[in-house]
Amino acid sequence: MATAITDLSLVHEFLSMRKATTDICRPLLTEDYSVQPVDFVSPPKWHLAHTTWFWEEFVLAKYKQKYKRYNDTYAYLFNSYYNNMGDRVDRQMRGINSRPAVSEIYEYRAYVNHQMEQLLEDEKNNKELKKLVEIGIHHEQQHQELLFYDIKFILGHQPYHPAYATGYEMKKVNVEEQWIDIDEGIYDIGHSGDSFSFDNELGRHKQYLNNYSINTNVVTNGQFLEFIKAGGYQDFNLWHDEGLFWKDTNQILAPLYWHQKDDVWYEYDLHGLQPLVLDEAVRHLSFYEAFAYAEWKDMRLPTEYEWEVAATHLNKGHTWEWTYSAYLPYPNFQKAPGALGEYNGKFMINQMVLRGSSRVTADEHSRDTYRNFFHPSMRWQYAGFRLAKKML
Amino acid sequence: MATAITDLSLVHEFLSMRKATTDICRPLLTEDYSVQPVDFVSPPKWHLAHTTWFWEEFVLAKYKQKYKRYNDTYAYLFNSYYNNMGDRVDRQMRGINSRPAVSEIYEYRAYVNHQMEQLLEDEKNNKELKKLVEIGIHHEQQHQELLFYDIKFILGHQPYHPAYATGYEMKKVNVEEQWIDIDEGIYDIGHSGDSFSFDNELGRHKQYLNNYSINTNVVTNGQFLEFIKAGGYQDFNLWHDEGLFWKDTNQILAPLYWHQKDDVWYEYDLHGLQPLVLDEAVRHLSFYEAFAYAEWKDMRLPTEYEWEVAATHLNKGHTWEWTYSAYLPYPNFQKAPGALGEYNGKFMINQMVLRGSSRVTADEHSRDTYRNFFHPSMRWQYAGFRLAKKML
Amino acid sequence: MATAITDLSLVHEFLSMRKATTDICRPLLTEDYSVQPVDFVSPPKWHLAHTTWFWEEFVLAKYKQKYKRYNDTYAYLFNSYYNNMGDRVDRQMRGINSRPAVSEIYEYRAYVNHQMEQLLEDEKNNKELKKLVEIGIHHEQQHQELLFYDIKFILGHQPYHPAYATGYEMKKVNVEEQWIDIDEGIYDIGHSGDSFSFDNELGRHKQYLNNYSINTNVVTNGQFLEFIKAGGYQDFNLWHDEGLFWKDTNQILAPLYWHQKDDVWYEYDLHGLQPLVLDEAVRHLSFYEAFAYAEWKDMRLPTEYEWEVAATHLNKGHTWEWTYSAYLPYPNFQKAPGALGEYNGKFMINQMVLRGSSRVTADEHSRDTYRNFFHPSMRWQYAGFRLAKKML
Amino acid sequence: MATAITDLSLVHEFLSMRKATTDICRPLLTEDYSVQPVDFVSPPKWHLAHTTWFWEEFVLAKYKQKYKRYNDTYAYLFNSYYNNMGDRVDRQMRGINSRPAVSEIYEYRAYVNHQMEQLLEDEKNNKELKKLVEIGIHHEQQHQELLFYDIKFILGHQPYHPAYATGYEMKKVNVEEQWIDIDEGIYDIGHSGDSFSFDNELGRHKQYLNNYSINTNVVTNGQFLEFIKAGGYQDFNLWHDEGLFWKDTNQILAPLYWHQKDDVWYEYDLHGLQPLVLDEAVRHLSFYEAFAYAEWKDMRLPTEYEWEVAATHLNKGHTWEWTYSAYLPYPNFQKAPGALGEYNGKFMINQMVLRGSSRVTADEHSRDTYRNFFHPSMRWQYAGFRLAKKML
């Protein structure tokens, strides 16, 4: 999506993106589609339906004349969090609805795909529509990544750790690490130009940065293992007060999906439970754990500005990376009118920014200005980090 | 099961009972098998597996030489509450395991059925085994009834109330009600004879009863509706202190599955959402609601002894009936040795006894001495009541 | 109160009972009066006020002409659980009200005492009033015992275990234990005659008992220590399912107030933290623990009927004793009209009966027909037990 | 404290600050000292003891030879959150300890004052000590302000709203509001120079600001009332997603301490329940409410940098003011070694910065660089806000 959408390709791009979503679900059993082990994990079936609901409610209902919804009750069932779109099923209740069946949701997707295909052909010159379709494509790509997180959580928390599929193994971080020095001064931050971005990246603006050094590499499993062995989880001086409480309450002793058996460490990944690979990027960490590691090293996490300014020099794409920036609006942030105004702005509190992209981010869904965000305690997403420090 | 099992029929009886279990699940979609909307509802898949685990662990592992379990991990996955049988999945976590698949569970059932068939033929004269098979059959029949409760809860709590199947409609209580007078005196209570009973019914013993009158009929939907209309849910003097708290906290204003739309009352039942049928037995009540109704009538619930003594005169079989007896051991109650000792005894606290049987109780699974039991606030089971009073 | 109240003594009895209440509080600091460490413990100040409120609302407001309340707002502040008496402060919120001051509550007591004194002199021949005063005296005596429980809990849960006072040490159970055999047959149960009783003891009625043996003595600290040493808290087969959950969740390993330091056991009592005295009655046990001990001994707890029938032969008065009877109404139980009807009846669910009396029960506040009751998990009250068994 | 401490005045300053703490408590009854209505409110007694503990553990134990603690157990009882200082009473348990008595705590204070007086005279030239005493004074001044918050909460949540004292009424915001324009450019942020500051203000550094306008005045009760009347609490588009959840869960419809009776608004303040004064600063707001008001006005809150740069032009001192800045470390933030390193750094997550000072801030305890911080949902502190906007 880094390039403008040409008239000819939009239908193709839409359909190929839609197929990518269902491709992710192909290895699943019917049983896997409906499970919700915790509040923040949605059943795969729900993602398939909600991303379809998005096209129906935000595009078809608005642009297609006399559009007849596939099923009127879905407006209620598959709304995620849009207050402007009416009532909805409580988030933690998504896993109790065994109906509509998985096959029904696939029919719903096919129906909406067909309707969209017609609409896009009928309205080739409608620029406003194109803009909306771009957003819809990026919205669904976000859910593609969430599907990986949720599937991994669902299968990875079953007693016998079934594998999802091969083909999603991590790349090794086997480039030697270096420190990049960045001089103090005024830098431009944020998205500009005609290409797609979310509203939270807009409002390119000046930011003053002090001298700093940033590492080319993300921290690896092997490096994080040193922290564990050195007693990092036990040294309270390395932790935020709330991090300490979170860690102790949840008995956290290692990244999510790490398992120790007879002194050997294993990691559950999409291809099953595997011996820990030391030169892969460490992932599935909370902000608290990333922060504690940096404290232990007497360094710190980069801010999102520092990350963005140095981005062209970094070895990235392994995992999203926690920054030491709170998710707050850029100066002069403007939220979109109507329901799409709920997309980003209303979440700008109590969350930290992550930059980069991960092994399971959709192609063309990463940008150096992209602002991802999660609560500091969340770690089912692909979240790792890199170090920064004062320039020597 | 009220009669002794003959040698010829045991295999047949076993297999036909096993088929009855899967027959109950036949109308379900694959998606319906794995859902656990609340702690006390188990996924249908779990019932299918647990009842099979019971045969494997309590019978085959003990009586079949060199028995090879279908899958060793199932011993952990499908134990319900038997501490003597080792660790198990936490009850509230049953709904997160999408694996093993439904089809796998059916294969598990077929495997165990086949093994059991062989065993029963090989051990035709083993009386100890027969005794155990009797218990196993009654155990699985209890789960057959629980399957109805859980399926009804699962489907009945989905936003659009899908029906399960026809054929399970309630019979009407259309016999005129009468009051039966029972004289004071000493009565024998509890099971005796060679026919099957659970351990909690045994120890036939004397009980002194005062004069009382008991109604031939259970209370109907129509009668309970009068209570609602008279403000019974609002009059605190009719309620236990804990009943009041339970009612207010959960905003209870009617029996479970009752819905009011535009001043018309509907009831969700296995055949879907239907206008309330006034002359059906009222069900899905907590003990608190049954008690409050009786208070409103200036009467009371019968004790389980009063119920048992009058049983031959009663119009029953519509629904289990709350009694005003706590579930405590009979004098000289003996719990079985080993894991089966956990079947009843350890639940004899904080629960109330229900007598009778319901529309979805397995045939041959009701006895006048049968002691069913639930916590006073539970109402997803078929629970109604009848009235008793002082003899005039 | 076991004898009828004579006209001459009622004022005296009232005032001396009132003084006994404040005598209990004399050793307290002002700070101790307002603390509420857990929901079920009320601040001593609250007891002083609530028992006064009772006289004001149930007696003075009704019988004294143009009675002027001490402070109109107290009707709301010091109602305990009487729905018929209007709104009230939530139970768990009693500890946040530092006002009215302790001194103010003492003035409130003095005011009401004076008013009562006048009333009782003016209405010497009012039998209905006398009846009510009897209830009020017994009500306040119940709160006298609760004051001991709550004060002990408040002081006993402070980090350095301050003593309350001397003079309340336990008597030793140093009579040799015997087994009393009781023959099967019909026995009369419940209160009769003109002397005072609560409504829950009334309705003397026949009860059939089987042969049984009951121990003359309650179980001692030393005997219970054997259970602990034998691993009784670890053997799941001795416990109710809910007892096991309660014990594990709350990490219960000994009676409340027992502390182990360097292999020596101590018990906190009203005179401070003391080495455990082996021949005192074990107290501060839940029903679950009493039951588990009996299971370990292969015996059982007596029912409340068995206790009452054998009462004249028992060594009692050390502690209240759990029975294996649920707190349910006697046949033909009648609750009083109006607010006093809330005194007992609405609590008749989910609780077990205790019989006897304790070291801190008010004199003249014990009867062999007295039915005390608590939830099975409660143990801040003086609760122990004795054993029963099948007659050999 | 804005000026350097001279040798002559340190003892005097210490003692006068200590007296100010106890002066705040003078209007309290003994009963008021021990109450903890919610987790985040500490009993006044605890503040008196903890601030004394601070001197004992951080100063006397370190600098006074052979210092004998007043009571060794206080090290455990009155530690707040310093992991480096050992175990402590859980925060939410502070209110259950009626002992030590209030009078005992006053003796503790007197003892430590005396010891400090001696120490300060003996060590007149110890600069390290002076530095520490400065921190201790500011620490206790923070608790002086917390005492006002906690006392107000304790008294203000009692059913009949007792007044604390007069003399703490708000000043009216009766200067006409203006908009101050600040030009874009690089500004210096943070504390510099020799005067006292906390570690979180240090590291003066450059910050680039865009053009902005900031209001000279904080928002008043009257202005906020307009928001309420316009339905601001009901318009979900004005709220953060978590703000909405917080508001609905807690049924928030107005600032804390506002009460509406018969269409008239009252505010509880230290001098009691009073009709709302429209031209006082609105206080006791969460960040969410301040944000929603700004959204309603189509403006925003200033960042902490914008506030600091404009500070000399602002009408302030009424209330702390929420900013739209997360509480994160300044570039090159250094936390102090040892236990004092826990003072600020470990709280730098999930909180928002407030600037300014309030009506109950200790004299000399405000600075334009001062960074106060609270969780966005907290509002028992004096928290209001002012508006900022894009320069026109």
Side-chain angles (χ1 to χ4, degrees), chain D residues 180-208:
Chain D
I180 307 291
D181 289 345
I182 308 283
D183 286 331
E184 68 183 334
I186 299 177
Y187 291 91
D188 287 320
I189 297 293
H191 186 81
S192 63
D194 291 336
S195 63
F196 179 82
S197 82
F198 284 113
D199 56 1
N200 60 3
E201 306 164 53
L202 289 174
R204 189 163 171 87
H205 63 285
K206 291 183 169 43
Q207 190 76 29
Y208 191 90

Side-chain angles (χ1 to χ4, degrees), chain C residues 47 141-151 374 380:
Chain C
H47 286 290
Q141 287 175 330
Q142 289 182 316
H143 280 277
Q144 288 170 6
E145 182 151 2
L146 287 171
L147 268 167
F148 282 111
Y149 299 166
D150 290 353
I151 290 169
F374 284 97
W380 102 117

Side-chain angles (χ1 to χ4, degrees), chain B residues 18-29:
Chain B
R18 291 284 286 171
K19 181 170 177 301
T21 307
T22 51
D23 281 352
I24 293 168
C25 294
R26 203 177 300 151
L28 300 182
L29 301 184

